[in-house]
Amino acid sequence: KIVTVVNLAKAKRIVTPCISTRMKPGQSDGKRAGATKRPLVCILVLGDFGRSPRMQYHTLSCANERFDTTVVAHPGSAPLSELQNNPLVSFIWLRPVLPKKWPKAFYLVQALFKLVIQFLQLFITLMSIQKPDVFLVQTPPALPTLPVVWLLSRPP
């Protein structure tokens, strides 16, 4: 697995309650407590964050360095309790895109449809968060995560 870091340029804010849900233990709206000048890191995992110990430890390291850290991932297994209870870490859980079982004859159609839907889901979700200073991206899968981050990282 490769971790890629990309800087983020200015992004417009879009509200997307139908695409993702924000969760922070003790906070129903997922917003950070107060505005800060600390660097903001967005950690993007297109999979079950709880089953990715490497990305969880990267997140913990960012929080230990006093970075405000936003994790954008799919829900599943519970993350480390140190992350769940850390005030510098917030989560944005992506909603599932497609049903898991499709007939094998439709695999190619399903894969293309899923790629397009995930691209749009990630793009809108990342546009709706506070502008990160740094993206930390888990690959694979590189598609659609890297194109979305690249697109949002380009200068205006």
Side-chain angles (χ1 to χ4, degrees):
K1 294 181 181 177
I2 301 169
V3 177
T4 307
V5 179
V6 180
N7 289 326
L8 177 67
K10 289 185 178 181
K12 295 179 183 175
R13 296 182 62 97
I14 299 173
V15 179
T16 57
C18 62
I19 293 185
S20 60
T21 57
R22 298 171 186 258
M23 181 196 80
K24 180 71 180 161
Q27 289 181 299
S28 60
D29 62 355
K31 295 181 180 176
R32 282 180 217 297
T36 64
K37 299 288 184 185
R38 292 188 292 264
L40 178 61
V41 176
C42 178
I43 297 181
L44 181 58
V45 178
L46 199 59
D48 183 353
F49 182 70
R51 290 187 171 262
S52 182
R54 179 180 295 150
M55 295 310 286
Q56 289 187 69
Y57 288 123
H58 285 313
T59 304
L60 190 56
S61 294
C62 289
N64 289 341
E65 291 295 322
R66 308 295 299 155
F67 297 156
D68 282 325
T69 307
T70 301
V71 175
V72 178
H74 288 284
S77 304
L80 298 171
S81 60
E82 295 95 332
L83 295 175
Q84 293 179 16
N85 300 323
N86 194 317
L88 297 176
V89 177
S90 61
F91 297 92
I92 298 176
W93 300 119
L94 299 171
R95 296 179 190 247
V97 175
L98 295 172
K100 294 187 184 232
K101 295 286 185 178
W102 274 47
K104 290 184 181 185
F106 295 109
Y107 176 75
L108 185 58
V109 173
Q110 174 195 6
L112 292 174
F113 183 71
K114 183 177 178 180
L115 181 66
V116 170
I117 296 299
Q118 282 182 334
F119 180 90
L120 294 172
Q121 181 185 41
L122 286 173
F123 183 79
I124 293 169
T125 300
L126 294 176
M127 291 284 288
S128 72
I129 65 173
Q130 183 179 350
K131 183 183 86 172
D133 298 304
V134 175
F135 271 119
L136 188 64
V137 179
Q138 178 184 21
T139 58
L143 292 176
T145 53
L146 291 181
V148 170
V149 170
W150 175 79
L151 186 63
L152 293 175
S153 299
R154 298 180 64 205

